[in-house]
Amino acid sequence: MMEGSDDDAGSNVSSFEQTSANLKRAVQYWLDKSTIHVVPRWILFTVVLALFFLRVYLVQGYFIVAYGLGIFLLNNFIAFLSPLEEPARNDDGLALPTSGREEFRPFARRLPEFKFWLACTRGCVTCFFMTFFSVFDVPVFWPILLLYFFVLFFMTMKRQIMHMWKHKYVPISFGKAKYKNAGEEHGLYGGGMSKGK
């Protein structure tokens, strides 16, 4: 009789693990499908962020949660703008090119765009759910938090822009350059892509 109860408990645990694994697999499937849809992903993030700030405005509380979210988003944004390898610390010659004669190396981010979006969206959703628990509603004078956040934002961005200026890199790119007649060959033997097909 005891063995039957142990088997039932084991099957419940394995059933829970199986359901959890299936749920994780489904979430990962949809995340993988969304990687190519950059604009809709950022629209989703903007909607979630707007819902969070609407909730904070309507409740007139949870300002410390909003401040924490702002610091979290700022930290992720700085990681998104920063290069993977610090140019000042590279003594092995793997620094970013500074002249036209050096080899071109594409800008590699410390935090890629998809992971940046995912972290920001998860942070917003987490903070949104935190606003439903009164334990996170710490009474603070919100104008001081807002002022401190803006001071921190401008000081951090100034430092980041000075770093970009010093090492001569631009972290913003709009994809690959597209050239007219790319892939077409005009010659005796043709080849390449056909123009009309």
Side-chain angles (χ1 to χ4, degrees):
M1 193 149 105
M2 288 293 234
E3 291 175 12
S5 63
D6 287 342
D7 289 340
D8 291 340
S11 67
N12 286 340
V13 170
S14 69
S15 174
F16 175 74
E17 289 175 355
Q18 184 68 28
T19 304
S20 175
N22 287 340
L23 182 63
K24 286 179 184 178
R25 203 171 305 128
V27 167
Q28 189 61 47
Y29 172 79
W30 287 109
L31 284 175
D32 291 344
K33 294 282 268 182
S34 73
T35 54
I36 60 171
H37 303 290
V38 178
V39 174
R41 281 191 284 118
W42 284 104
I43 290 173
L44 174 70
F45 166 73
T46 306
V47 168
V48 171
L49 187 64
L51 285 174
F52 169 73
F53 280 117
L54 180 67
R55 169 88 176 139
V56 168
Y57 175 74
L58 292 177
V59 176
Q60 287 296 311
Y62 300 98
F63 300 116
I64 199 78
V65 175
Y67 175 75
L69 177 62
I71 297 296
F72 177 74
L73 294 177
L74 178 63
N75 187 27
N76 282 328
F77 185 60
I78 294 300
F80 175 72
L81 291 178
S82 299
L84 181 62
E85 297 174 357
E86 187 66 32
R89 287 190 238 149
N90 285 344
D91 297 329
D92 56 359
L94 295 177
L96 295 171
T98 56
S99 70
R101 295 181 309 223
E102 295 181 29
E103 177 185 353
F104 171 73
R105 295 176 189 265
F107 183 78
R109 301 178 187 282
R110 188 171 9 139
L111 184 65
E113 183 270 333
F114 181 78
K115 289 184 179 180
F116 174 51
W117 168 81
L118 187 61
C120 291
T121 306
R122 282 181 178 167
C124 286
V125 169
T126 302
C127 288
F128 181 75
F129 283 116
M130 287 172 71
T131 62
F132 291 100
F133 299 100
S134 61
V135 70
F136 298 112
D137 191 12
V138 178
V140 293
F141 187 59
W142 67 267
I144 290 183
L145 279 181
L146 189 64
L147 178 69
Y148 184 66
F149 174 75
F150 281 130
V151 167
L152 188 64
F153 176 80
F154 287 119
M155 296 292 287
T156 306
M157 289 309 296
K158 178 183 174 189
R159 190 185 73 207
Q160 186 68 28
I161 290 170
M162 294 304 292
H163 187 269
M164 289 164 41
W165 184 271
K166 177 182 175 186
H167 297 290
K168 297 180 175 84
Y169 68 90
V170 178
I172 307 296
S173 68
F174 297 103
K176 295 179 181 178
K178 295 178 183 169
Y179 299 101
K180 185 178 177 184
N181 299 330
E184 295 178 10
E185 291 185 22
H186 304 285
L188 183 60
Y189 300 108
M193 294 173 24
S194 63
K195 205 170 193 177
K197 297 179 184 176

